[in-house]
Amino acid sequence: MPASYAYLGPEGTFTEVALRTLPEAATRELMPYVSVQSALDAVRAGEAEAAFVPIENSVEGGITTTLDELVAGEPLTIYREVLLSITFALLVRPGTRLADIKTVSAHPAAQPQVRNWLKANLPDVHWESAASNADAARLVQEGQYDAAFAGEFAAARYGLEALETGIHDAENAQTRFVLVGRPARPAAPTGADKTSVVLWQRDDHPGALRDLLGSSPAGASTSCCCSPGRPAPASATTASASTRRGTSPTGGWPRR
């Protein structure tokens, strides 16, 4: 197995910053991928030892792309989690003024975190989604968009300037990232482990969610999310469960 970690790239993403907080990252080759799907597929194909991807933020909840990819493909196990405080900078090409900005780009998960700032400062700007915040910075560098919301640290990597910094609508916003690998024997219990379960119902009827959750001990569930229009994968049976030490892809923050 290659001693490498795949992550949502390109270079300069919040994902890369969070990944580098893991001690073992210093001994691995870190390989950026263009999407969450391609990073997870690299693990499934044996091209990478593990993948590091965003799974949830404290403003909007689960990252749908990540959750869907974890459910739909070959089984994977979550081994580690990292919580990273998030604040954005507005990155522009040198010489750009706020009045010059007509288009802005970032990862879709960033939009709810800067919506009020945009309304107050750039109410007429056109939003374009990118594969990641660093990819949005790259597109600004190439001249496709006027500005990008990304980490201030990405400015130097892409030859941009931080026109505004410290942008966030919610104080203490965080994103949860997870290290995902192929299934193996779980580590010894720590007392702080979490289990994530994916379920598909046999039929649609009133009280179906209650029936599915009826076997859970009272107070044991921290959160739940539903995808009512999403069919089960062809390989799925009635229920599919995955024990993932260290994190829960369905969340843990109280909703506001």
Side-chain angles (χ1 to χ4, degrees):
M1 178 70 67
S4 61
Y5 283 169
Y7 70 91
L8 176 61
E11 295 178 1
T13 57
F14 286 110
T15 305
E16 181 187 8
V17 171
L19 172 56
R20 291 186 182 277
T21 68
L22 296 178
E24 61 266 36
T27 63
R28 303 295 196 278
E29 178 186 1
L30 306 185
M31 304 188 303
Y33 281 77
V34 297
S35 66
V36 168
Q37 179 182 7
S38 61
L40 295 178
D41 284 347
V43 178
R44 292 181 171 120
E47 298 171 3
E49 178 184 354
F52 194 77
V53 294
I55 198 168
E56 184 181 31
N57 72 67
S58 58
V59 176
E60 286 289 291
I63 307 296
T64 305
T65 301
T66 303
L67 296 174
D68 288 349
E69 289 302 325
L70 286 173
V71 169
E74 294 180 19
L76 294 171
T77 298
I78 296 174
Y79 290 100
R80 297 285 297 275
E81 71 172 7
V82 172
L83 293 178
L84 184 71
S85 296
I86 302 294
T87 184
F88 293 92
L90 186 68
L91 305 186
V92 299
R93 292 182 296 278
T96 302
R97 303 170 302 166
L98 201 63
D100 299 328
I101 299 175
K102 306 302 179 186
T103 56
V104 66
S105 182
H107 187 276
Q111 189 173 20
Q113 302 181 61
V114 299
R115 185 182 294 125
N116 293 336
W117 189 95
L118 276 174
K119 183 178 179 180
N121 295 276
L122 292 169
D124 299 320
V125 76
H126 181 70
W127 177 279
E128 292 284 353
S129 292
S132 68
N133 299 312
D135 191 52
R138 179 186 63 81
L139 295 173
V140 171
Q141 179 192 44
E142 294 178 354
Q144 293 193 40
Y145 305 122
D146 298 326
F149 286 105
E152 186 177 357
F153 47 80
R157 173 65 181 80
Y158 295 99
L160 303 176
E161 294 180 347
L163 188 61
E164 300 281 346
T165 60
I167 300 172
H168 53 78
D169 289 351
E171 293 289 340
N172 303 315
Q174 291 183 314
T175 294
R176 186 190 305 269
F177 300 85
V178 290
L179 184 69
V180 182
R182 296 178 69 83
R185 175 177 294 182
T190 66
D193 303 313
K194 304 170 187 175
T195 300
S196 303
V197 181
V198 181
L199 302 167
W200 290 275
Q201 61 189 50
R202 295 176 185 274
D203 59 84
D204 187 12
H205 63 274
L209 180 59
R210 180 202 61 196
D211 295 342
L212 288 172
L213 299 179
S215 59
S216 299
S221 299
T222 59
S223 66
C224 175
C225 64
C226 302
S227 298
R230 215 171 293 274
S235 59
T237 55
T238 304
S240 175
S242 178
T243 300
R244 296 159 178 166
R245 298 284 179 190
T247 192
S248 167
T250 50
W253 282 289
R255 305 299 295 162
R256 287 194 289 270

